[in-house]
Amino acid sequence: MDVKQLLAEIDNRKAKLSAFRPLTEGETERLRDEFIIGFTYNSNAIEGNTMTLYETAMVLREGITIDGKSLKEHMELIGHKDACMFVEDLVQEAMPLTEKNILDLHSLVLMDRREDRGVYRRVPVTITGMQVELPQPWAVPVAIEQLLVDYHSEKQNLHSLERAALFHLRFETIHPFIDGNGRTGRLIMNLELMIERLSAHRCKISRSCAVYRLLRGVEFSKRCGYDY
């Protein structure tokens, strides 16, 4: 199946899903709760958080602390849940993606590191295990500004899923923050999918290796003279 066929199939499934709407309040709340817990677990696990899916549910649903787990790991879960709720607010208001939205999302994701929340990095960084050339700190604000310009200008030319995926790829190869880039990037991707009435993505940890392979592909492409 080529990309055009795949996107057509996605549109077909979107139409079928829309036929089930509106859901009851109970159905909506159940799906929302399960998605936030699953997404929070997977997104943080990708970054090294050791909470299990069950422990994540206990922290977010019951507000309990898990014996043997650090305060940092608890705050990562709570911050990510708050960020998910902020995404829901932006979707309800149909807010266009802006730099301020990105910084606000990052502030929630990195709630355990007050001094680094919602600010661009001031030092060079690397992605562990890769040779992807990331922008120098002084170039990050300009790169994000251009990323947003390109994203909004592509609205008429690309499928919503393509735009969201490309934005996520480009965002991660800018790596604008000292930490929390992956979690913030995945939240932004889901924000854009939800605004377009597409299903949000849990970004399972079992698929994280595929993401790193993709980034390595970008690295190779840039060395060959291609740009994204």
Side-chain angles (χ1 to χ4, degrees):
M1 184 180 294
D2 62 23
V3 173
K4 187 174 293 187
Q5 291 173 316
L6 179 61
L7 294 175
E9 177 61 21
I10 288 170
D11 288 337
N12 182 48
R13 294 190 181 191
K14 175 186 174 184
K16 289 181 179 179
L17 181 62
S18 296
F20 289 99
R21 296 189 173 101
L23 300 177
T24 67
E25 183 177 347
E27 290 170 334
T28 301
E29 186 59 31
R30 177 65 179 268
L31 291 173
R32 176 179 176 272
D33 179 64
E34 290 186 355
F35 174 77
I36 288 178
I37 289 172
F39 182 34
T40 297
Y41 160 70
N42 281 285
S43 197
N44 280 284
I46 290 171
E47 307 302 331
N49 190 299
T50 64
M51 292 279 193
T52 65
L53 179 59
Y54 176 77
E55 289 169 340
T56 299
M58 289 298 98
V59 171
L60 299 186
R61 283 179 178 154
E62 309 299 333
I64 66 174
T65 56
I66 307 299
D67 185 44
K69 303 295 184 177
S70 68
L71 176 62
K72 177 179 182 293
E73 290 186 306
H74 285 81
M75 293 183 70
E76 285 175 347
L77 301 184
I78 295 167
H80 194 275
K81 179 183 178 181
D82 289 347
C84 286
M85 296 174 72
F86 179 60
V87 165
E88 289 182 355
D89 291 340
L90 294 176
V91 172
Q92 290 295 323
E93 297 168 10
M95 295 290 292
L97 185 60
T98 65
E99 181 183 37
K100 183 178 186 304
N101 293 341
I102 293 173
L103 296 176
D104 287 346
L105 268 176
H106 184 257
S107 291
L108 294 170
V109 167
L110 220 66
M111 70 180 322
D112 61 307
R113 295 175 60 170
R114 185 180 301 273
E115 69 280 6
D116 294 322
R117 296 170 57 188
V119 295
Y120 294 133
R121 57 182 168 85
R122 295 183 293 176
V123 296
V125 296
T126 60
I127 300 177
T128 304
M130 294 182 208
Q131 301 297 319
V132 179
E133 185 176 344
L134 304 176
Q136 290 297 314
W138 57 266
V140 167
V142 176
I144 291 293
E145 180 181 2
Q146 187 60 53
L147 175 61
L148 288 167
V149 169
D150 292 342
Y151 178 73
H152 292 301
S153 68
E154 292 167 346
K155 189 174 182 65
Q156 303 303 318
N157 303 320
L158 293 175
H159 188 280
S160 301
L161 183 60
E162 289 180 295
R163 289 175 64 236
L166 278 173
F167 184 94
H168 183 60
L169 177 62
R170 293 164 177 167
F171 180 85
E172 298 305 335
T173 55
I174 294 172
H175 238 58
F177 305 113
I178 194 69
D179 192 17
N181 294 284
R183 284 166 287 170
T184 303
R186 290 186 284 273
L187 282 157
I188 295 171
M189 181 174 65
N190 275 338
L191 167 63
E192 295 308 292
L193 291 175
M194 292 164 68
I195 284 177
E196 296 296 332
R197 305 287 285 178
L198 290 164
S199 297
H201 182 40
R202 286 193 183 189
C203 311
K204 292 185 177 181
I205 186 172
S206 59
R207 296 290 297 162
S208 60
C209 288
V211 176
Y212 286 108
R213 285 197 298 270
L214 179 59
L215 286 173
R216 289 192 181 98
V218 171
E219 171 192 347
F220 178 77
S221 297
K222 286 187 174 181
R223 288 181 180 179
C224 293
Y226 297 101
D227 200 359
Y228 290 88

